[in-house]
Amino acid sequence: ILDPSFSLPLCTDSRAPFQQKTPLAFCSYNGTSCCNSTDDKQLQTQFNAMNISDPGCASLVKSVICAMCDKFSAELFRTDSVPRELPILCNSTTSENSNKSSQTKNDFCSKVWTTCQNVSIISSPFAASVKSNSTKLTDLWKSQIDFCNEFGGASGVGSVCFAGEPVSLNSTTPISPPGGLCLEKIGNGSYINMVAHPDGSSRAFFSNQQGKIWLATIPAVDSGKLLDLDESSPFLDLIDEVHFDTELGMMGIAFHPKFSQNGRFFVSFNCDKQAWPGCGGRCSCNSDIDCDPSKLPSDSGSQPCQYQAVIAEFTASGSQPTQAKTASPKEVRRIFTMGLPFTGHHGGQILFGPRDGYLYFMMGDGGGIGDPYNFSQNKKSLLGKIIRLDIDSTSSVEEITKLGLWGNYSIPKDNPYAEDKELQPEIWALGMRNPWRCSFDSARPSYFMCADVGQDKFEEVNIISKGGNYGWNEYEGPYLYTPSKSPGGNKSMSSINPIFPVMGYNHSDVNKNGGSASITGGYFYRSMTDPCMHGRYLFADLYAGFMWAGTENPEDSGTFNTSQISFNCAQKSPIDCTSVPGSSVPALGYIFSYGEDNNKDMYILASSGVYRVVRPSRCKYTCAKENSSAVDDDIPSSPPPASPPSAAIMLTGSYSNFVVILMSLILMLTSWL
């Protein structure tokens, strides 16, 4: 606040549900805080230098500067997206106060003026905005009105103000968890990626880990039909280039935002440089990050950086991309190649940002228990990072050399390195262990959700923000973490300001013996097929025994209530579901990923097949929002009929009734004529 070189990170509640919980010695923020002990000491030093003699004024000023530690500091220190030197002080005289909150009734701004107006405050934080050395408020402002016009404000829609105590948003009525998730099985294949066709149709691309992509047609909901996917006729076959193993293979596919015009799409995969000449690339363990690959141990018989992470560009065949049924297997351009130190923890998913059009690449810490070489926190390493690339323009040879780029792309000008020169320019966020399935909310693209696989204790879901540090390997979720071995050294906790998860679960929640757990991230459910699930974020454990729904409450607050949800298969599923022995729970196998089609219906990609979320009543789940006219008996039995279902089957609710009545009137009119 006072020293320009001292800048604490502003945060919102979406960044801090598990933030610093140890009471701070000076600021004494209870519960959630954006400050750590080092920040706290710096604030105390600055406060002591103010030499405020009046105890009442000193207490108020202390609370004002400690507002930097509030979990809603990002809102408190900004007005119309412009950063402020001090938080917005609650002021009951502002016009927004027709409905006064408990904070604005406090009228904290006038209290500060009344108590401190004639008190000397050396290096006063209130003087910074007018660039004055005066120590008294009355030397700077003629009246309370002028003072509060400068520093005051009210809590309103989308804004908060500071009333001398930690901010708490008005809560809404608790939202009941959904009754359960009803599924139908529409395919037997095992895939790890699903991407809706960019043309907006009912088609989607599916890919497996071995190296093939298929173009499929998705049947209408409640039609009783199967996924139309011919495994003998792939859209693209890269099996000869892709190295497939437990955590290696074709990991991601993404279609250019203008695919319908240019036919461009991108594939993320792993290759073996000993088996394929086209696999060569720099090792991620190199002198730039003080890492010597010759000192790395072998992993599962492989040598360090034998396996590479690749992003390559391909193009759909023919002049009309939306009608293409295949793609040329020849690479158009190699975007990115990087050698992996070990065989695990390298994510591999790729996504285009819905607003900026840039390509996001999720990269894990490279493997090894506890990230022993501290790649994730190393700002010069791309391991353990979310990477953001501009693939629509390329860098010159000079730029590639100067910036140390890993391929044929350019750097978005607003990447975080513009403010933090220590960062490798590709980095968007850091401190990840193994991000496994991220998604942008289709309704609110600023909600960039990423699940991150834990080590021993905690599986997490994060809201990814520009330049955010998500803590690994200093933290595992909300817990402090100490690697058993760290030949690469460690960061000190005080040197990072981690952003903690908004959702997650302990390993003990899914395995009482503390055994395996591994999160699979999902989507915000935006379909109305299951209206009781609408707006909730769905995610699961890889081992398919548990699923969760995260409900944000209040909306846009970043605060999520997570509840474990039951799931079942509809009795008249197009393909009969098998059950876990001795249980009615569907035997999904492993849940590799989730998918979303152009109608926002949601899918589960499991080792046992493809499942779609359907109406809850089909599994006898209760949902008050679902129209009672939708009945299970309307669903065709398996095998599906040759003829399409009737309009009465396809439509539900009042709209269906309207159509039926209208058709009857037309028939009567036709007969009369």
Side-chain angles (χ1 to χ4, degrees), residues 184-185 222-226 570-576 618 632-643 645 649:
E184 67 173 1
K185 187 175 183 180
D222 289 352
S223 68
K225 291 188 175 182
L226 302 174
Q571 290 183 354
K572 294 185 178 180
S573 175
I575 300 175
D576 290 335
R618 290 183 59 188
D632 183 61
D633 290 342
D634 289 336
I635 308 302
S637 300
S638 180
S643 58
I649 295 173

Short mmCIF file of all heavy atoms in Angstrom, two decimals, residues 184-185 222-226 570-576 618 632-643 645 649:
data_model
loop_
_atom_site.label_atom_id
_atom_site.label_comp_id
_atom_site.label_asym_id
_atom_site.label_seq_id
_atom_site.Cartn_x
_atom_site.Cartn_y
_atom_site.Cartn_z
N GLU A 184 -27.42 -43.39 -19.75
CA GLU A 184 -27.72 -44.42 -20.73
C GLU A 184 -26.44 -44.73 -21.49
O GLU A 184 -25.64 -43.83 -21.77
CB GLU A 184 -28.84 -44.00 -21.69
CG GLU A 184 -28.49 -42.86 -22.63
CD GLU A 184 -29.59 -42.61 -23.68
OE1 GLU A 184 -30.60 -43.33 -23.65
OE2 GLU A 184 -29.40 -41.70 -24.52
N LYS A 185 -26.24 -45.98 -21.80
CA LYS A 185 -25.04 -46.39 -22.53
C LYS A 185 -25.34 -46.41 -24.01
O LYS A 185 -26.25 -47.10 -24.47
CB LYS A 185 -24.59 -47.78 -22.06
CG LYS A 185 -23.25 -48.23 -22.64
CD LYS A 185 -22.81 -49.56 -22.04
CE LYS A 185 -21.45 -49.98 -22.58
NZ LYS A 185 -21.01 -51.29 -22.00
N ASP A 222 -33.25 -39.83 -25.86
CA ASP A 222 -34.47 -40.63 -25.71
C ASP A 222 -34.88 -41.35 -26.99
O ASP A 222 -35.99 -41.87 -27.09
CB ASP A 222 -35.65 -39.78 -25.22
CG ASP A 222 -35.49 -39.37 -23.77
OD1 ASP A 222 -34.56 -39.86 -23.10
OD2 ASP A 222 -36.30 -38.54 -23.30
N SER A 223 -33.98 -41.39 -27.98
CA SER A 223 -34.34 -42.07 -29.23
C SER A 223 -34.13 -43.58 -29.13
O SER A 223 -34.67 -44.34 -29.94
CB SER A 223 -33.49 -41.53 -30.39
OG SER A 223 -32.12 -41.89 -30.23
N GLY A 224 -33.35 -44.03 -28.18
CA GLY A 224 -33.04 -45.44 -28.06
C GLY A 224 -31.99 -45.92 -29.04
O GLY A 224 -31.71 -47.12 -29.11
N LYS A 225 -31.39 -45.00 -29.78
CA LYS A 225 -30.40 -45.39 -30.79
C LYS A 225 -28.98 -45.36 -30.23
O LYS A 225 -28.71 -44.78 -29.18
CB LYS A 225 -30.52 -44.47 -32.01
CG LYS A 225 -31.79 -44.67 -32.80
CD LYS A 225 -31.76 -43.86 -34.09
CE LYS A 225 -32.98 -44.16 -34.95
NZ LYS A 225 -32.94 -43.43 -36.24
N LEU A 226 -28.08 -45.97 -31.00
CA LEU A 226 -26.68 -46.09 -30.61
C LEU A 226 -25.84 -44.99 -31.24
O LEU A 226 -26.22 -44.38 -32.24
CB LEU A 226 -26.13 -47.45 -31.04
CG LEU A 226 -26.83 -48.70 -30.52
CD1 LEU A 226 -26.22 -49.93 -31.18
CD2 LEU A 226 -26.70 -48.79 -29.01
N ALA A 570 -30.20 -46.17 -16.80
CA ALA A 570 -31.61 -46.32 -17.13
C ALA A 570 -31.89 -47.77 -17.54
O ALA A 570 -31.07 -48.41 -18.21
CB ALA A 570 -31.98 -45.36 -18.26
N GLN A 571 -33.05 -48.28 -17.15
CA GLN A 571 -33.38 -49.68 -17.43
C GLN A 571 -33.44 -49.96 -18.93
O GLN A 571 -33.00 -51.01 -19.39
CB GLN A 571 -34.70 -50.05 -16.77
CG GLN A 571 -34.62 -50.13 -15.26
CD GLN A 571 -35.93 -50.57 -14.64
OE1 GLN A 571 -36.94 -50.72 -15.34
NE2 GLN A 571 -35.94 -50.78 -13.34
N LYS A 572 -33.97 -49.02 -19.69
CA LYS A 572 -34.08 -49.23 -21.14
C LYS A 572 -33.00 -48.44 -21.86
O LYS A 572 -33.27 -47.63 -22.74
CB LYS A 572 -35.47 -48.83 -21.62
CG LYS A 572 -36.55 -49.76 -21.06
CD LYS A 572 -37.92 -49.43 -21.65
CE LYS A 572 -38.97 -50.40 -21.12
NZ LYS A 572 -40.32 -50.11 -21.68
N SER A 573 -31.78 -48.70 -21.47
CA SER A 573 -30.63 -48.09 -22.12
C SER A 573 -30.42 -48.74 -23.48
O SER A 573 -30.67 -49.94 -23.64
CB SER A 573 -29.39 -48.29 -21.24
OG SER A 573 -28.24 -47.81 -21.87
N PRO A 574 -29.99 -47.98 -24.50
CA PRO A 574 -29.74 -48.59 -25.82
C PRO A 574 -28.81 -49.81 -25.74
O PRO A 574 -28.96 -50.76 -26.50
CB PRO A 574 -29.09 -47.45 -26.61
CG PRO A 574 -29.67 -46.21 -25.99
CD PRO A 574 -29.81 -46.52 -24.53
N ILE A 575 -27.83 -49.75 -24.83
CA ILE A 575 -26.99 -50.91 -24.54
C ILE A 575 -27.14 -51.20 -23.06
O ILE A 575 -27.03 -50.31 -22.22
CB ILE A 575 -25.51 -50.64 -24.87
CG1 ILE A 575 -25.33 -50.31 -26.35
CG2 ILE A 575 -24.64 -51.84 -24.50
CD1 ILE A 575 -23.92 -49.91 -26.73
N ASP A 576 -27.43 -52.45 -22.73
CA ASP A 576 -27.60 -52.81 -21.33
C ASP A 576 -26.31 -52.56 -20.54
O ASP A 576 -25.21 -52.90 -21.00
CB ASP A 576 -28.00 -54.28 -21.20
CG ASP A 576 -29.42 -54.53 -21.71
OD1 ASP A 576 -30.21 -53.58 -21.71
OD2 ASP A 576 -29.70 -55.68 -22.11
N ARG A 618 -35.85 -41.54 -15.63
CA ARG A 618 -35.57 -42.83 -16.24
C ARG A 618 -34.84 -43.77 -15.29
O ARG A 618 -34.79 -44.98 -15.51
CB ARG A 618 -34.76 -42.64 -17.54
CG ARG A 618 -35.58 -42.01 -18.67
CD ARG A 618 -34.77 -41.91 -19.95
NE ARG A 618 -34.30 -43.22 -20.40
CZ ARG A 618 -33.45 -43.40 -21.41
NH1 ARG A 618 -32.98 -42.33 -22.05
NH2 ARG A 618 -33.07 -44.61 -21.76
N ASP A 632 -40.88 -43.14 -18.31
CA ASP A 632 -39.88 -44.11 -18.73
C ASP A 632 -40.39 -45.03 -19.83
O ASP A 632 -39.63 -45.49 -20.67
CB ASP A 632 -39.44 -44.93 -17.51
CG ASP A 632 -38.34 -45.91 -17.86
OD1 ASP A 632 -37.27 -45.45 -18.29
OD2 ASP A 632 -38.56 -47.12 -17.72
N ASP A 633 -41.69 -45.30 -19.85
CA ASP A 633 -42.23 -46.26 -20.81
C ASP A 633 -42.14 -45.76 -22.25
O ASP A 633 -42.35 -46.52 -23.19
CB ASP A 633 -43.71 -46.56 -20.49
CG ASP A 633 -43.83 -47.36 -19.20
OD1 ASP A 633 -42.81 -47.97 -18.79
OD2 ASP A 633 -44.93 -47.38 -18.61
N ASP A 634 -41.83 -44.45 -22.44
CA ASP A 634 -41.73 -43.92 -23.78
C ASP A 634 -40.44 -44.33 -24.48
O ASP A 634 -40.30 -44.16 -25.68
CB ASP A 634 -41.78 -42.38 -23.76
CG ASP A 634 -43.17 -41.86 -23.42
OD1 ASP A 634 -44.14 -42.60 -23.65
OD2 ASP A 634 -43.26 -40.72 -22.94
N ILE A 635 -39.47 -44.86 -23.75
CA ILE A 635 -38.17 -45.15 -24.33
C ILE A 635 -38.19 -46.50 -25.03
O ILE A 635 -38.57 -47.50 -24.43
CB ILE A 635 -37.08 -45.14 -23.25
CG1 ILE A 635 -37.17 -43.84 -22.43
CG2 ILE A 635 -35.70 -45.31 -23.88
CD1 ILE A 635 -37.02 -42.59 -23.26
N PRO A 636 -37.77 -46.56 -26.30
CA PRO A 636 -37.75 -47.84 -27.00
C PRO A 636 -36.80 -48.81 -26.32
O PRO A 636 -35.78 -48.42 -25.76
CB PRO A 636 -37.23 -47.47 -28.40
CG PRO A 636 -37.46 -46.00 -28.52
CD PRO A 636 -37.36 -45.44 -27.14
N SER A 637 -37.14 -50.10 -26.36
CA SER A 637 -36.28 -51.11 -25.77
C SER A 637 -35.12 -51.41 -26.71
O SER A 637 -35.16 -51.15 -27.90
CB SER A 637 -37.07 -52.39 -25.51
OG SER A 637 -38.14 -52.15 -24.63
N SER A 638 -34.07 -51.98 -26.15
CA SER A 638 -32.93 -52.42 -26.95
C SER A 638 -33.26 -53.81 -27.54
O SER A 638 -33.85 -54.64 -26.86
CB SER A 638 -31.69 -52.51 -26.06
OG SER A 638 -30.58 -52.92 -26.80
N PRO A 639 -32.95 -54.13 -28.80
CA PRO A 639 -32.25 -53.26 -29.74
C PRO A 639 -33.13 -52.14 -30.27
O PRO A 639 -34.35 -52.26 -30.26
CB PRO A 639 -31.85 -54.23 -30.86
CG PRO A 639 -32.91 -55.28 -30.83
CD PRO A 639 -33.25 -55.46 -29.38
N PRO A 640 -32.53 -51.05 -30.73
CA PRO A 640 -33.30 -49.90 -31.17
C PRO A 640 -34.12 -50.22 -32.42
O PRO A 640 -33.73 -51.05 -33.24
CB PRO A 640 -32.23 -48.85 -31.46
CG PRO A 640 -30.98 -49.63 -31.74
CD PRO A 640 -31.08 -50.84 -30.86
N PRO A 641 -35.26 -49.57 -32.59
CA PRO A 641 -36.11 -49.81 -33.75
C PRO A 641 -35.51 -49.22 -35.01
O PRO A 641 -34.70 -48.31 -34.96
CB PRO A 641 -37.42 -49.09 -33.37
CG PRO A 641 -36.96 -47.99 -32.46
CD PRO A 641 -35.81 -48.55 -31.69
N ALA A 642 -35.94 -49.78 -36.16
CA ALA A 642 -35.44 -49.27 -37.44
C ALA A 642 -36.04 -47.92 -37.75
O ALA A 642 -35.42 -47.08 -38.39
CB ALA A 642 -35.77 -50.27 -38.55
N SER A 643 -37.30 -47.70 -37.32
CA SER A 643 -37.96 -46.43 -37.63
C SER A 643 -37.70 -45.43 -36.52
O SER A 643 -37.50 -45.80 -35.37
CB SER A 643 -39.47 -46.66 -37.77
OG SER A 643 -39.99 -47.21 -36.57
N PRO A 645 -38.32 -42.54 -33.63
CA PRO A 645 -39.39 -42.39 -32.65
C PRO A 645 -40.37 -41.31 -33.08
O PRO A 645 -40.04 -40.43 -33.86
CB PRO A 645 -38.64 -42.01 -31.38
CG PRO A 645 -37.35 -41.41 -31.86
CD PRO A 645 -37.01 -42.15 -33.11
N ILE A 649 -42.68 -38.99 -28.52
CA ILE A 649 -41.56 -39.51 -27.74
C ILE A 649 -40.47 -38.46 -27.62
O ILE A 649 -39.88 -38.28 -26.57
CB ILE A 649 -40.98 -40.77 -28.41
CG1 ILE A 649 -42.02 -41.89 -28.37
CG2 ILE A 649 -39.69 -41.22 -27.74
CD1 ILE A 649 -41.60 -43.12 -29.16
#
